[in-house]
């Protein structure tokens, strides 16, 4: 079972978590939001979820893969940080805003032997 972290507290994240849980391969364990109250409201549907409002602390926590559904302009920086922290990444579309950012993420994932998935 892969431990899942989520960035982005919109409805699409709930849909992703539902599908991930249905697969039997993922368990949500951590949620990041800029406001802890927003993370708490989002996570209230789930049990035993770590909540973060500091992205550095979020990436230091114990999860295997992060689903990123934040505003598009944040995708590159968050994905790069995740990969550098040893986390597999699932990115909501559009993945990045510039082609060279995608190439950079692919290289970082390869260098760290991690998966980078764009859905």
């Amino acid at each position: 079972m892969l431990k899942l972290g989520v960035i982005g507290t919109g409805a699409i994240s709930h849909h992703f978590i539902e599908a991930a849980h249905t697969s039997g391969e993922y368990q949500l364990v951590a949620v990041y939001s800029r406001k802890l109250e927003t993370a708490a409201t989002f996570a209230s549907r789930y049990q035993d979820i770590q909540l973060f409002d500091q992205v550095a602390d979020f990436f230091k926590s114990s999860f295997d893969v992060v689903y990123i559904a934040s505003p598009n302009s944040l995708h590159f920086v968050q994905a790069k940080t995740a990969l550098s922290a040893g986390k597999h990444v699932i990115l909501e579309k559009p993945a990045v805003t510039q082609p060279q950012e995608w190439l950079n993420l692919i290289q970082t994932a390869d260098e760290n032997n991690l998966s980078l998935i764009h859905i």
Side-chain angles (χ1 to χ4, degrees), residues 60-114:
K60 289 178 188 174
S61 69
S62 180
F63 62 86
D64 307 302
V65 58
V66 61
Y67 172 65
I68 300 175
S70 58
N72 300 340
S73 63
L74 300 175
H75 286 185
F76 173 73
V77 171
Q78 291 172 339
K80 178 81 172 183
T81 303
L83 292 166
S84 297
K87 312 295 185 187
H88 300 282
V89 173
I90 302 170
L91 270 173
E92 185 60 35
K93 65 180 181 179
V96 293
T97 58
Q98 301 294 320
Q100 63 270 24
E101 292 175 340
W102 183 247
L103 296 174
N104 186 298
L105 292 179
I106 291 170
Q107 181 180 0
T108 304
D110 287 346
E111 289 171 356
N112 291 290
N113 197 31
L114 295 166

Side-chain angles (χ1 to χ4, degrees), residues 4 16-29 46:
L4 176 65
F16 180 84
I17 293 164
E18 181 181 318
H21 283 171
T22 299
S23 77
E25 300 293 325
Y26 299 89
Q27 180 60 45
L28 179 65
V29 298
Y46 313 102

Side-chain angles (χ1 to χ4, degrees), residues 1-54:
M1 175 98 38
L2 293 170
K3 295 178 184 175
L4 176 65
V6 170
I7 297 176
T9 55
I12 191 70
S13 293
H14 284 300
H15 295 300
F16 180 84
I17 293 164
E18 181 181 318
H21 283 171
T22 299
S23 77
E25 300 293 325
Y26 299 89
Q27 180 60 45
L28 179 65
V29 298
V31 172
Y32 166 79
S33 181
R34 290 173 291 174
K35 295 180 183 176
L36 204 53
E37 299 80 19
T38 305
T41 299
F42 177 86
S44 66
R45 297 185 186 186
Y46 313 102
Q47 295 179 352
D48 301 320
I49 308 301
Q50 292 182 296
L51 306 176
F52 298 91
D53 62 358
Q54 299 296 314

